[in-house]
Amino acid sequence: MDNAAVDEKRLDQPSSGSENSSEGGDSKWTVIVAVVANGAIAIAKIIAGLLTGSASMWAEAAHSIADTGNEILLLIGLKRSLREPDSKHPFGYGQERYFWTFLAALGIFLVGGVLSIGEGVRSILMPEAVESLWIGVGVLVVAAVFESYSWYTAHKQLRRDAKQQNRTLRHHLRHASDPSATTVFLEDTAALIGLAIALAALVLHAGTGWAGWDAIGSMTIGLLLIVVAYLLARRSKGLLLEESAPDDVLDPIRAKVAAESWVEKIDDMHAVWVGPSQLLVNLWVTPTRAVRDSPAGNLVEHAAHLRRDLMSDDAVAQVTLTLETP
């Protein structure tokens, strides 16, 4: 049987599965915590910016406004990605998360990065004296507390997900199929670094009277946000272009197929993410001679059993199995 594609129709539509639903709930809570924290912080920073006249404070206000808006985009993506598959989207809407995460990265770049650099340039051209220093310091310290809690929530989810998949945190950040917690984690990491920069710039400006410190702080925060935006956009681009799943995801699938007694060899295997924890798997295998020489119904039964076995994993949305001859 040469290049005979065996693709038994699944009785139920591919769904997000219990594992993916759990991840969706964790991600939603992580993003909600971040929205509440950053919304409150943004208001406080705007008030402090008005009172102090600090460019770094205004850069931090723009940063928090960007983060709040971006996390609302993530919530939209989370909600839309959980819709059930239909005739137009047979593998579901999981890639909605990747699209909205890409928009969030653009928001970080434009609202956070570019505006912060622009505020730094304005501070150089039109320097202002720092007023109400301690109000600014107090707001930054309180903001650090809120950001730390949001960062801890995202970090805890990422560590748990990484542990479940026997990954290091760094490896999981680079290869996670759900970008929601990764986005919040990177945003909050940048926010904590930005708060430290803004605090140092504010104190130096007040202590020396030179507005250049504020301008440097504001532009440094802007460059930091541009780097974060680039990292998030690069990851979203890879997922939207259906990059291959990493080896630690492919190897167990390959091992399960190779363990089948009727499979002589695996000619090729592709697996891409069609949503968070949702794989589309394409397999090309060569059956053993004994199975090739047996009635065709026996071969179809073996192939159908393998396909059902692979799809019993919640992380596998669909499997296409093609049989090759030597």
Side-chain angles (χ1 to χ4, degrees):
M1 184 180 283
D2 186 22
N3 293 333
V6 179
D7 194 0
E8 180 189 73
K9 184 177 180 181
R10 193 179 182 190
L11 295 179
D12 59 332
Q13 292 285 352
S15 65
S16 56
S18 58
E19 178 185 348
N20 195 34
S21 297
S22 173
E23 285 186 5
D26 291 341
S27 295
K28 185 176 181 179
W29 172 247
T30 297
V31 176
I32 287 173
V33 168
V35 169
V36 173
N38 281 299
I41 291 168
I43 294 171
K45 287 177 180 177
I46 290 171
I47 295 172
L50 290 170
L51 293 174
T52 63
S54 166
S56 294
M57 185 64 75
W58 279 115
E60 275 298 301
H63 182 180
S64 293
I65 291 170
D67 283 355
T68 305
N70 295 336
E71 282 140 11
I72 291 173
L73 292 178
L74 293 181
L75 281 177
I76 294 172
L78 280 166
K79 182 177 180 180
R80 294 176 66 89
S81 70
L82 296 177
R83 288 181 294 173
E84 292 297 320
D86 53 36
S87 58
K88 292 182 67 176
H89 299 87
F91 303 121
Y93 290 80
Q95 290 186 329
E96 287 269 10
R97 294 197 200 183
Y98 307 154
F99 171 73
W100 291 97
T101 300
F102 187 78
L103 291 185
L106 291 179
I108 294 172
F109 176 81
L110 293 173
V111 181
V114 175
L115 283 184
S116 295
I117 292 174
E119 181 61 24
V121 173
R122 187 200 65 80
S123 181
I124 291 175
L125 298 177
M126 295 182 292
E128 298 178 8
V130 172
E131 301 176 359
S132 304
L133 172 65
W134 294 109
I135 292 177
V137 171
V139 167
L140 290 174
V141 171
V142 172
V145 173
F146 280 99
E147 290 284 8
S148 295
Y149 179 71
S150 179
W151 181 91
Y152 171 76
T153 302
H155 184 259
K156 182 170 69 173
Q157 181 189 340
L158 287 169
R159 284 186 63 87
R160 182 172 62 248
D161 293 345
K163 184 177 180 181
Q164 289 174 350
Q165 299 180 49
N166 295 317
R167 290 174 168 175
T168 64
L169 181 60
R170 181 178 179 181
H171 181 77
H172 187 66
L173 282 169
R174 295 184 62 185
H175 297 286
S177 62
D178 182 357
S180 302
T182 301
T183 301
V184 174
F185 176 77
L186 290 177
E187 283 184 346
D188 289 344
T189 300
L192 289 171
I193 296 172
L195 286 168
I197 293 171
L199 181 60
L202 183 63
V203 172
L204 286 169
H205 184 178
T208 65
W210 184 51
W213 290 115
D214 234 2
I216 292 170
S218 181
M219 289 187 282
T220 303
I221 292 169
L223 291 173
L224 174 66
L225 294 177
I226 287 174
V227 170
V228 171
Y230 168 75
L231 292 175
L232 291 175
R234 184 180 65 176
R235 181 63 186 143
S236 296
K237 174 188 172 184
L239 291 167
L240 282 169
L241 294 178
E242 297 183 344
E243 71 177 14
S244 176
D247 288 340
D248 61 348
V249 174
L250 298 179
D251 288 345
I253 299 175
R254 190 178 287 110
K256 182 179 288 189
V257 176
E260 293 287 324
S261 60
W262 63 275
V263 173
E264 181 175 293
K265 68 174 181 175
I266 301 173
D267 297 287
D268 202 1
M269 184 180 83
H270 302 151
V272 298
W273 296 114
V274 293
S277 298
Q278 288 287 276
L279 283 169
L280 171 62
V281 181
N282 294 320
L283 279 165
W284 291 262
V285 302
T286 298
T288 60
R289 176 172 293 277
V291 174
R292 293 200 305 271
D293 293 341
S294 67
N298 189 35
L299 182 57
V300 170
E301 183 178 347
H302 280 303
H305 174 76
L306 173 59
R307 185 169 175 274
R308 285 194 298 268
D309 187 33
L310 292 174
M311 290 180 63
S312 66
D313 188 333
D314 289 334
V316 178
Q318 188 60 276
V319 175
T320 300
L321 179 59
T322 301
L323 304 179
E324 305 273 357
T325 56

